Amino acid sequence: MVSVLGSTGSIGISTLDVIGQHPQRLGVYGLAAASSVDLMLEQISVHCPRFAVMMQESAAQELESRLPADCDTQILQGEGALAKIASDDDVD
């Protein structure tokens, strides 16, 4: 499992593209972004991560309110959440 910090930036988008080409070998544990709610929603729908982290509190609140009811992704906010998805034992 992989966490992608800065998933809505150009390198993060490219990384997710590679992951998407190898779904049998790679999965997404966590995604993180500063404030790009629309793009994060798209990434969640494609990659179904366990966690999505938004650095800005208002962005995290908006993301959570727009998340489909049947989505299992947990929305987290802030630096502590970023550290969690980067260092969790489930992350390779």
Side-chain angles (χ1 to χ4, degrees):
M1 297 296 282
V2 177
S3 285
V4 181
L5 311 183
S7 68
T8 61
S10 61
I11 294 172
I13 291 169
S14 295
T15 300
L16 289 172
D17 183 48
V18 171
I19 290 169
Q21 293 175 32
H22 303 281
Q24 69 285 0
R25 296 177 56 203
L26 299 168
V28 178
Y29 178 81
L31 298 173
S35 61
S36 299
V37 173
D38 291 334
L39 186 50
M40 180 63 83
L41 277 169
E42 286 180 41
Q43 292 176 345
I44 289 169
S45 71
V46 171
H47 298 284
C48 304
R50 185 168 176 193
F51 297 102
V53 176
M54 300 302 286
M55 294 306 293
Q56 293 181 358
E57 184 177 355
S58 60
Q61 291 171 346
E62 180 181 349
L63 180 61
E64 190 156 26
S65 72
R66 293 177 56 191
L67 207 60
D70 62 346
C71 181
D72 292 332
T73 300
Q74 259 190 310
I75 307 304
L76 305 173
Q77 187 270 322
E79 289 182 25
L82 191 62
K84 176 192 176 17
I85 69 164
S87 64
D88 195 280
D89 289 340
D90 289 336
V91 176
D92 297 318

